[in-house]
Amino acid sequence: MKWWIRAGVLLSAVVIGFWKMPVVKVGSGDKVSSSVRYVALGDSIAHGYGLPDPEKDSYVGQVGHYLEENYDYVFMANLGTNGLRSEQLLDILTNPDNNMYRKYRATLKYADIVTLSIGSNDLLHLVSLDRDLRDYIEKGDQMFREACSQFAVNFPKIIRAIHSISPEAQIYANNVYNPCGDLSGFANLHYLTERYVGLLNEAFCESGEYTIVDIKEEFDRTEESLLNMTISGRDIDPHPNKKGHARIGSKVIKAIRNGGRRKN
């Protein structure tokens, strides 16, 4: 019988459950008679925003299902948070005064696999339909470039913080897709976002500390609609749809099967 312990348990149960499970090495994709601990970190993409059944349809849920098929015991915790930016995640992981600090560190402490989806909101929080158009014209390029530069500082610190908590964890980091990829009727907007998404993704580089999961390439090379991209009133929804999450899940699972620590 396989157990899937989800993130809603009390923190004390999290710590006890992690502590009792034997440590296993993961990455080969071979079926083993043991346990694996999977923690998902990140923003609304990890959370599964906009999906009718996030636990099943999100890429995090799909990774969990894959692990459930290959291990007898799976501990899964999805800490994805809507709207989370890189500086906020870094603060959670490193600042003892942050009210989420203890929860995140206790959950990560015994993790074998960590998936990470972060960066989109570093740019998207600057986009507002209420912002003065003149402000964008005069300061937009500088704002977006500064956001990309700050992400390049924050991201490696996040990776190091995760490893300081769980030194043996395999980290799989998704890069950032173009949220306007489905807006074919707005070529100028697509070109503009492509420029800054490209700058932001320069922070993801070949490293022995984590594996890059190239979601940008995966989304770029398909003509299929993978986003919920809608503009309704003053609301913008650039999140992956069910098909988009399926693509992300497949890429992450492939990286796990390959053993990680290289671009996938």
Side-chain angles (χ1 to χ4, degrees):
M1 176 179 179
K2 297 180 179 179
W3 296 353
W4 189 333
I5 310 172
R6 301 190 182 280
V9 296
L10 296 174
L11 180 59
S12 58
V14 172
V15 176
I16 293 171
F18 265 154
W19 179 75
K20 287 184 176 180
M21 290 182 179
V23 174
V24 296
K25 299 293 184 182
V26 295
S28 67
D30 296 332
K31 186 176 179 67
V32 296
S33 297
S34 192
S35 63
V36 63
R37 311 170 188 91
Y38 167 38
V39 179
L41 295 179
D43 50 29
S44 52
I45 300 174
H47 183 74
Y49 179 90
L51 294 172
D53 188 355
E55 289 191 4
K56 176 183 177 183
D57 296 333
S58 71
Y59 84 85
V60 173
Q62 293 168 41
V63 171
H65 180 69
Y66 162 76
L67 295 173
E68 200 175 27
E69 290 182 331
N70 286 274
Y71 293 88
D72 294 313
Y73 303 96
V74 177
F75 186 103
M76 176 178 165
N78 188 348
L79 299 178
T81 303
N82 292 340
L84 193 70
R85 303 193 301 273
S86 64
E87 67 267 22
Q88 294 171 319
L89 178 57
L90 181 61
D91 190 69
I92 290 171
L93 295 173
T94 60
N95 181 7
D97 293 329
N98 191 297
N99 61 6
M100 301 297 289
Y101 175 82
R102 292 182 181 275
K103 175 183 178 180
Y104 271 62
R105 292 183 72 89
T107 306
L108 280 166
K109 187 173 183 181
Y110 300 100
D112 299 302
I113 293 175
V114 176
T115 57
L116 177 60
S117 175
I118 198 72
S120 297
N121 291 308
D122 290 49
L123 294 178
L124 288 175
H125 87 281
L126 298 173
V127 179
S128 170
L129 297 179
D130 293 317
R131 188 183 289 274
D132 183 62
L133 180 60
R134 181 181 298 176
D135 200 35
Y136 273 125
I137 295 173
E138 294 179 353
K139 304 176 183 177
D141 183 67
Q142 179 183 350
M143 288 191 303
F144 288 119
R145 287 183 180 276
E146 287 179 353
C148 292
S149 296
Q150 188 58 53
F151 179 74
V153 173
N154 295 339
F155 181 72
K157 290 182 179 180
I158 290 170
I159 297 296
R160 289 195 293 270
I162 295 170
H163 277 308
S164 72
I165 301 166
S166 184
E168 299 301 317
Q170 293 276 358
I171 302 173
Y172 299 88
N174 301 343
N175 64 5
V176 177
Y177 61 83
N178 186 339
C180 296
D182 279 3
L183 294 181
S184 56
F186 298 86
N188 289 338
L189 181 59
H190 179 273
Y191 173 79
L192 186 65
T193 54
E194 188 73 13
R195 177 196 305 172
Y196 298 115
V197 167
L199 285 174
L200 191 82
N201 279 337
E202 289 179 2
F204 298 89
C205 56
E206 297 290 343
S207 169
E209 296 182 305
Y210 65 96
T211 298
I212 306 170
V213 183
D214 196 349
I215 304 305
K216 174 69 164 57
E217 180 186 53
E218 183 71 14
F219 278 39
D220 283 350
R221 70 184 185 182
T222 181
E223 296 182 1
E224 191 175 25
S225 178
L226 302 179
L227 303 178
N228 289 324
M229 189 60 188
T230 56
I231 301 177
S232 176
R234 308 196 75 78
D235 296 322
I236 301 174
D237 182 4
H239 294 89
N241 56 26
K242 185 176 178 179
K243 291 180 180 178
H245 274 275
R247 292 292 188 101
I248 298 172
S250 294
K251 290 285 285 187
V252 176
I253 290 168
K254 179 182 177 182
I256 293 172
R257 284 175 175 160
N258 288 342
R261 303 296 172 93
R262 61 181 180 271
K263 189 172 182 179
N264 284 268

